Amino acid sequence: MSSSTSDDIQTTLQQAIQSARYNEAVILSLSDHDHTTREIVVVPALDREHGGIVWRDASSESTSDDDNNNHDDSSPHGNDTWPQDDVGILRHLRTKLWAIPMLNDHVRNDMYHRTVRDACRIVVKRRMRDNDDDGVIRILDIGSGTGLLAMMAANHCRDAIMRVQSFYPDRTMRVQVTSCEMASAMARLARMTMEENEHLIRSNSERSGSSIIDGVDCGIVVVECHSTDDDFFIQDGRFENNLEIESNNTTALDQEEQRLMKQQQQQAKQPKKADICTSELLDSGLLGEGVLPSLRDAWERHLKPNALMLPRSARVVAVLVEGCPMNEKQPVRDMDKVRNNRLNRATSLFGPDLDSFQSASGGVWLATTAQYENPTIDKSDGVLLGVQCVPHDNLDQSATSDSGGSGITIPMHADALLDDNYRDGGFTASLADPFQEYDGYSFVSDNAPEDRNTESKSDASNENVSPSRSGRGIRPLTDPLIVLDFDFASGLSAFPPAHGRSVSTTFIPNVSGIIDGVLFWWELDLGDAPSDTYSTQPLGYFEREKLDSSSLSCTSRDFQWQDHWQQGLFLFGDSDRSRMISKGQPVHVVASHDNTSISFVVSDDDQTIASRPTTRRKMNDGSDKDSQSLTRSRINQHISPSRALQLNNDRRTAVLRDAILFALSTKGTNAPLLDLSDMSLCAMIAAVAGGATCVTSLESTMATLAATISQIGNSLPKAGATFQVIQALSENVTNEYISGGPAEIVVAEPYYQVLEGWHIQEALNYFYLVRSFKSRKLISQTAISIPSCAYVMACVVEFQDFSNAYGKVGDDVERVAGFGHKVVNYYGDRYHTYDLSLPLWQYRWKRLSKPLCMARFVYEGDTLAINDDRWVSTEFERVGSADAVVFWVDYLCRSAGGTHVHAPTNDRFNIISTSSSCHRQIVRKLYPPIVLTDADLGSRSSKFLCRSKFDCSDLGKIDDHCFSFKIVTCDNKVDD
């Protein structure tokens, strides 16, 4: 490998790592001089010595969880067919969480199976009848996945040929399926799956040959590329190994044979056109996976004019919604108060709300502009952190408020916000015990929260979409209407232009209210029958019999809960948010899209006929591109919806503020303070609310943003004080970097952008950072830490939706739509060996056991310690199926009026718990699930036991923890 190539690889690797997050893998395919290809898989791991993230070669070390699995010999995990793990496949499936749930979506599988069969029969009948070409039925499959659609197409075409072969005795048909897959790991998995099904179809690699099955020449090749690549074409040569002419054999052929052979070679290399195209390039927002550019390119270059396309068409269905109040006792908002109380259960996902955070933090203005720098801008305007959306790059920048807009689209299970009865039937959503006690820390009654899962009674007015509530989070204001439609099957002329289009729809509100956003989902037509329509409609949104069949086409299908496609909640930016609408008065909404996203804006246009609420008016079709302006959704590059929930949680911010103020009152405002979290929030609270004069913040990824917020938004440092934000690897920090010398106060939320949503890793990373800094005397041995310690908590839950979606794919013999998927289960059915990060407030589950304290991380004192590696147990309190273990972290923050008291010192502590809805939780599947009965609840011997390991050498260099579980019931004992 040349040095220039090495430099290119290094640059590519660095770019990929900069945008990657924890639990993601960066995979690079490298070609050596001899044209062999090798793959490098690097994954993030915690640096135990210094803190922070290091990237390690995953192929050099097996993870401890996989090494310690108790695989069931009856499962594919015990199968010796694949003795060598493919690390790239393992990491790909671990990162792409949609893969296994999609294969477990039986409704989706059945629809594709049926409609692919129908398409194959149509094409075979047509080709046999016309008898006008080369006798090859070609199929293009875009996005191989596990190869399921490609195998369906090959098998159904073969069967269709066999059905009509006797009517056309002089006609011979071959089947060639070209399947494109851009992810190298997934391409390898598809080839393995096809090898597993070689008795049906034969496929292995780019040079795989065809095989005669039931008298029909049938073959599949998986091409590792994107179908839109300039050098990709459908070519017969991929299926014809016998066309290769070996140089030492050419003399044995006469000139005519050589000429014919070369002619066949040339013909095999010529681009061909496909009769059928299958794909499933869809995400929760419909367009994010590139379905439009991929299928547009297919019609341009790869398909016959009369080709059949699956899917055939799609529609976007939308409803205007209002966010419900944070506190269920609060009345529905009115326009006079809405500007002063912008946060509700919907808008808390967007932000942060500047006024709310300023009040809770003690004065920090969480913005990149000065608070009153521009008097024409609402001081709460979210544009100050880059939340605003901009017109499309290629469009006229002089967009008006009618044609331009702002907002974000959040994929989510909307039933959690829509359905009052979402968790009926025994479901509970409280993870934490409101009166939880810890070793040496006792609960006290004064200032006690009624429900610590929502973290405080005083937080009730500002708790975001709490999983413990039973009420709704958003209120529909209108009936659902179709706002966009897409025709994939009618050729290139039916496609919208690449730069998109805008369509206006008139909604008639059923109730008066304030528009906060648009809830939307999509319907996908795979065939012509009503039963061939797939919908991502929320399960409990409305009663099925009340659907207006004139507006919506999907009216009678049986629904199945699934986790790979959700709904989209588009929240308006400040220009469109908080518009009052009245019952019966038309509201004009413009839905816009480009190649990858959909957005909405409320229009002031009143030309749409009010008496026809389903009337849609095409604003433009892109023909006048220079005058067109589209709204588009752009996720805030700094603040994700999960992070917005944290920043909009006043209780969480207030606990940090009180703890920082208490530390400053103990150590003095001149004490050196060190912030070891990204975004420097605690440092800014200390300087602004507490008057700290010697503040240093170490940033891993967000130094520019933190510096801008502190300097411009909050005018730091104040006169006579120092406030500095530094970006450096922790091992390179010396005393000269820390203002005032060794820190006497060390603070953290903890929050680290690369670890967002992985709270065990965040707590552990803070431990490593503090330990490293103390060992180098950068933090005083008597320093106060905020938080003082962290407890890793756990409980057993019944979680059947999760268990079904993330369980073994296929039927009892591991077949999906008739095709074996044992190899997929071998690599994919491992959710009992590693963690998932999920926002549990969006799911239905039931806590079965009391919470238990698994481990404690101590951040203060001469010797930092992790108390772990011991069996701890808890009792069961409900019957049900023990499907999973849920983990969260409780941080104890020293404060004057805390809810817990430490007996030896009489210090008081407040709790920040990641069990609340403003955080994600960690989920580990139990394998196999255990059914708990009434007898188990009455038996003292029935219990859940857990042991954890952190910071030990036998974990290897990649894993940062290891869990072991035992469930003891009346009649058995199961180790997981």
Side-chain angles (χ1 to χ4, degrees):
M1 192 176 300
S2 64
S3 59
S4 60
T5 303
S6 299
D7 292 340
D8 293 340
I9 292 170
Q10 186 69 21
T11 300
T12 302
L13 188 59
Q14 289 177 350
Q15 292 174 347
I17 286 175
Q18 286 176 358
S19 60
R21 294 292 182 264
Y22 183 79
N23 199 50
E24 295 181 356
V26 175
I27 303 176
L28 292 180
S29 296
L30 310 177
S31 296
D32 293 328
H33 288 304
D34 59 357
H35 302 293
T36 60
T37 300
R38 61 189 180 90
E39 190 172 80
I40 295 178
V41 181
V42 293
V43 296
L46 292 181
D47 186 341
R48 296 175 197 157
E49 182 179 359
H50 304 292
I53 293 293
V54 292
W55 291 81
R56 303 194 187 280
D57 185 355
S59 60
S60 65
E61 179 175 351
S62 299
T63 61
S64 62
D65 277 335
D66 286 341
D67 290 340
N68 294 326
N69 284 342
N70 297 316
H71 295 314
D72 183 355
D73 290 338
S74 65
S75 77
H77 297 68
N79 197 316
D80 292 331
T81 306
W82 308 280
Q84 180 63 46
D85 279 348
D86 185 316
V87 177
I89 295 177
L90 285 171
R91 284 289 171 171
H92 187 85
L93 292 179
R94 182 168 174 171
T95 301
K96 308 301 181 184
L97 297 183
W98 47 262
I100 298 302
M102 181 174 288
L103 290 169
N104 277 320
D105 186 345
H106 307 301
V107 173
R108 167 253 189 198
N109 298 339
D110 292 344
M111 282 190 184
Y112 265 102
H113 191 269
R114 183 172 60 251
T115 54
V116 169
R117 178 201 63 197
D118 294 344
C120 290
R121 289 179 177 178
I122 292 172
V123 167
V124 167
K125 184 177 180 180
R126 177 203 300 163
R127 294 287 305 280
M128 286 287 196
R129 180 193 63 213
D130 293 346
N131 193 20
D132 59 356
D133 48 29
D134 55 6
V136 179
I137 295 178
R138 299 178 181 88
I139 301 164
L140 174 62
D141 176 40
I142 304 178
S144 303
T146 64
L148 180 61
L149 298 187
M151 291 188 293
M152 285 182 182
N155 212 31
H156 285 311
C157 272
R158 182 204 66 193
D159 290 346
I161 292 172
M162 296 298 298
R163 284 166 56 93
V164 300
Q165 190 79 64
S166 60
F167 297 102
Y168 303 93
D170 298 331
R171 295 283 286 146
T172 300
M173 278 288 177
R174 292 181 294 156
V175 180
Q176 295 178 354
V177 183
T178 303
S179 185
C180 300
E181 176 56 57
M182 61 184 298
S184 58
M186 212 65 192
R188 293 196 300 276
L189 181 61
R191 291 170 184 141
M192 292 180 186
T193 308
M194 292 172 186
E195 286 179 357
E196 182 182 342
N197 293 277
E198 63 183 353
H199 60 289
L200 299 176
I201 40 86
R202 173 65 180 261
S203 178
N204 186 11
S205 65
E206 178 86 15
R207 285 295 177 185
S208 65
S210 303
S211 61
I212 306 298
I213 304 294
D214 293 337
V216 178
D217 191 350
C218 182
I220 305 176
V221 294
V222 177
V223 185
E224 191 176 317
C225 71
H226 198 292
S227 65
T228 60
D229 290 346
D230 292 338
D231 58 353
F232 168 75
F233 298 97
I234 299 173
Q235 297 173 321
D236 290 347
R238 294 190 174 97
F239 299 84
E240 304 293 344
N241 291 333
N242 61 333
L243 292 181
E244 296 293 333
I245 301 178
E246 300 293 340
S247 58
N248 57 351
N249 292 330
T250 55
T251 56
L253 301 174
D254 60 32
Q255 291 184 352
E256 180 62 18
E257 289 175 329
Q258 290 186 42
R259 186 188 66 79
L260 291 175
M261 183 70 75
K262 289 181 179 180
Q263 182 179 1
Q264 292 177 8
Q265 282 184 303
Q266 292 299 320
Q267 291 176 350
K269 294 179 180 179
Q270 293 299 311
K272 303 296 184 181
K273 302 291 186 179
D275 299 276
I276 300 173
C277 179
T278 61
S279 69
E280 193 179 50
L281 308 172
L282 309 169
D283 67 351
S284 296
L286 183 65
L287 305 182
E289 292 293 321
V291 62
L292 287 181
S294 296
L295 299 190
R296 185 187 294 115
D297 175 77
W299 279 113
E300 285 180 339
R301 301 194 300 136
H302 304 311
L303 303 182
K304 294 179 179 179
N306 63 348
L308 298 187
M309 175 74 73
L310 277 81
R312 298 177 55 83
S313 59
R315 292 169 299 284
V316 176
V317 182
V319 58
L320 304 185
V321 296
E322 174 187 42
C324 296
M326 289 289 193
N327 186 353
E328 294 175 6
K329 297 181 180 179
Q330 290 178 340
V332 175
R333 299 176 300 158
D334 59 67
M335 203 60 187
D336 294 334
K337 297 179 180 179
V338 69
R339 290 295 179 186
N340 297 322
N341 185 17
R342 299 160 57 86
L343 278 181
N344 57 56
R345 296 191 187 277
T347 60
S348 59
L349 290 157
F350 191 14
D353 183 84
L354 304 182
D355 285 330
S356 177
F357 189 87
Q358 184 181 39
S359 175
S361 64
V364 174
W365 185 243
L366 200 59
T368 55
T369 62
Q371 184 168 353
Y372 301 108
E373 183 178 283
N374 187 344
T376 65
I377 296 180
D378 183 343
K379 68 177 183 176
S380 300
D381 199 337
V383 303
L384 299 178
L385 267 185
V387 182
Q388 82 278 16
C389 299
V390 296
H392 195 284
D393 295 340
N394 295 328
L395 303 177
D396 183 11
Q397 298 298 305
S398 59
T400 65
S401 60
D402 283 348
S403 60
S406 63
I408 61 172
T409 296
I410 305 170
M412 62 166 26
H413 288 293
D415 284 295
L417 293 176
L418 281 167
D419 191 354
D420 289 333
N421 302 314
Y422 184 53
R423 293 186 177 89
D424 278 2
F427 290 105
T428 60
S430 177
L431 285 173
D433 186 337
F435 309 109
Q436 181 72 50
E437 296 194 348
Y438 313 87
D439 296 338
Y441 298 86
S442 301
F443 176 82
V444 291
S445 59
D446 56 319
N447 292 329
E450 290 186 355
D451 181 358
R452 211 197 65 222
N453 188 51
T454 57
E455 298 188 302
S456 174
K457 180 181 179 181
S458 64
D459 189 36
S461 63
N462 192 20
E463 173 61 27
N464 35 61
V465 202
S466 168
S468 64
R469 65 175 180 82
S470 60
R472 290 187 295 181
I474 56 177
R475 183 170 69 119
L477 301 176
T478 67
D479 287 331
L481 297 178
I482 297 172
V483 294
L484 289 171
D485 48 28
F486 301 90
D487 183 353
F488 304 137
S490 298
L492 189 59
S493 61
F495 272 71
H499 47 271
R501 59 180 169 151
S502 296
V503 176
S504 177
T505 303
T506 301
F507 288 82
I508 305 299
N510 296 324
V511 294
S512 298
I514 299 169
I515 305 175
D516 286 312
V518 178
L519 178 68
F520 69 97
W521 57 92
W522 48 260
E523 298 175 353
L524 190 72
D525 296 327
L526 293 171
D528 295 327
S531 60
D532 296 337
T533 297
Y534 188 100
S535 175
T536 61
Q537 166 189 306
L539 301 183
Y541 174 57
F542 43 75
E543 295 179 14
R544 201 71 42 75
E545 63 270 19
K546 293 183 179 180
L547 281 173
D548 180 1
S549 60
S550 65
S551 300
L552 303 176
S553 61
C554 186
T555 59
S556 61
R557 184 177 63 79
D558 291 332
F559 289 91
Q560 174 194 348
W561 186 94
Q562 45 79 15
D563 205 28
H564 56 97
W565 288 321
Q566 303 172 356
Q567 296 78 45
L569 177 61
F570 183 88
L571 294 175
F572 291 120
D574 294 282
S575 60
D576 289 311
R577 193 192 302 178
S578 304
R579 288 199 182 198
M580 188 72 183
I581 61 174
S582 300
K583 179 179 180 179
Q585 296 300 311
V587 179
H588 313 294
V589 176
V590 177
S592 302
H593 74 86
D594 56 15
N595 265 343
T596 58
S597 63
I598 296 172
S599 60
F600 301 87
V601 65
V602 179
S603 173
D604 293 327
D605 184 3
D606 60 357
Q607 297 180 15
T608 308
I609 303 174
S611 61
R612 296 178 61 193
T614 60
T615 298
R616 290 182 294 137
R617 183 167 57 86
K618 183 178 291 188
M619 304 290 290
N620 57 72
D621 60 2
S623 58
D624 187 6
K625 178 177 166 184
D626 291 335
S627 63
Q628 181 195 19
S629 293
L630 299 180
T631 62
R632 66 184 294 219
S633 171
R634 188 180 83 179
I635 296 293
N636 183 350
Q637 59 181 325
H638 303 307
I639 308 298
S640 68
S642 296
R643 179 63 169 157
L645 284 176
Q646 295 178 14
L647 297 177
N648 284 325
N649 187 298
D650 284 356
R651 167 65 182 173
R652 180 180 183 274
T653 304
V655 169
L656 290 171
R657 177 203 64 204
D658 291 346
I660 292 170
L661 295 181
F662 182 83
L664 289 170
S665 69
T666 302
K667 291 287 189 177
T669 57
N670 294 327
L673 183 144
L674 177 62
D675 186 345
L676 294 179
S677 264
D678 284 350
M679 208 170 174
S680 303
L681 293 187
C682 292
M684 285 184 274
I685 291 174
V688 173
T693 61
C694 297
V695 180
T696 302
S697 180
L698 176 65
E699 289 283 337
S700 61
T701 59
M702 306 179 73
T704 301
L705 176 66
T708 306
I709 295 173
S710 59
Q711 294 173 14
I712 299 178
N714 294 277
S715 301
L716 295 174
K718 303 296 185 183
T722 59
F723 186 98
Q724 57 184 11
V725 177
I726 59 175
Q727 183 166 2
L729 296 175
S730 61
E731 58 264 36
N732 295 333
V733 176
T734 60
N735 254 320
E736 294 81 38
Y737 286 90
I738 300 176
S739 177
E744 291 291 338
I745 302 172
V746 57
V747 296
E749 298 184 49
Y751 169 76
Y752 306 97
Q753 188 178 43
V754 71
L755 297 174
E756 184 175 305
W758 297 89
H759 300 297
I760 293 178
Q761 284 71 23
E762 286 183 323
L764 194 55
N765 186 51
Y766 180 57
F767 176 86
Y768 292 146
L769 286 168
V770 173
R771 184 174 67 179
S772 173
F773 276 57
K774 281 198 171 187
S775 69
R776 290 178 285 141
K777 303 186 184 305
L778 302 179
I779 297 175
S780 167
Q781 298 301 317
T782 60
I784 294 177
S785 172
I786 302 167
S788 299
C789 63
Y791 282 87
V792 179
M793 309 293 295
C795 70
V796 178
V797 297
E798 181 177 80
F799 201 174
Q800 292 186 1
D801 286 344
F802 168 80
S803 184
N804 293 336
Y806 291 89
K808 183 177 69 174
V809 305
D811 55 20
D812 292 341
V813 291
E814 302 178 72
R815 293 177 303 189
V816 177
F819 297 95
H821 273 63
K822 289 184 178 181
V823 65
V824 175
N825 282 325
Y826 174 77
Y827 283 106
D829 187 19
R830 302 194 183 197
Y831 290 104
H832 60 294
T833 69
Y834 50 77
D835 303 332
L836 279 77
S837 174
L838 297 175
L840 285 189
W841 65 269
Q842 297 185 31
Y843 295 80
R844 298 176 296 182
W845 47 271
K846 178 171 67 175
R847 194 182 81 188
L848 300 183
S849 74
K850 296 179 180 179
L852 60 82
C853 301
M854 292 181 51
R856 182 177 65 159
F857 305 159
V858 180
Y859 302 128
E860 293 180 330
D862 295 339
T863 303
L864 304 190
I866 295 180
N867 299 325
D868 64 346
D869 200 12
R870 69 192 192 282
W871 286 101
V872 293
S873 65
T874 189
E875 298 174 347
F876 292 106
E877 55 186 3
R878 294 181 181 89
V879 299
S881 174
D883 298 311
V885 181
V886 177
F887 305 92
W888 66 95
V889 178
D890 284 354
Y891 294 104
L892 276 63
C893 302
R894 188 179 284 103
S895 180
T899 59
H900 288 68
V901 61
H902 186 229
T905 62
N906 208 34
D907 289 343
R908 300 286 286 269
F909 294 83
N910 275 320
I911 310 296
I912 293 178
S913 178
T914 67
S915 67
S916 74
S917 59
C918 68
H919 300 87
R920 299 170 73 92
Q921 289 75 43
I922 304 301
V923 181
R924 180 75 69 92
K925 184 181 175 183
L926 288 174
Y927 183 82
I930 303 298
V931 176
L932 302 171
T933 65
D934 289 327
D936 295 316
L937 298 188
S939 171
R940 293 185 177 181
S941 62
S942 298
K943 61 183 65 177
F944 170 65
L945 300 95
C946 184
R947 183 176 66 180
S948 59
K949 288 184 179 181
F950 301 91
D951 192 35
C952 57
S953 59
D954 58 350
L955 290 174
K957 294 182 178 180
I958 294 179
D959 286 340
D960 48 61
H961 68 277
C962 178
F963 295 141
S964 301
F965 308 130
K966 293 180 181 179
I967 293 181
V968 180
T969 62
C970 290
D971 53 2
N972 64 24
K973 178 178 179 180
V974 178
D975 292 345
D976 186 41

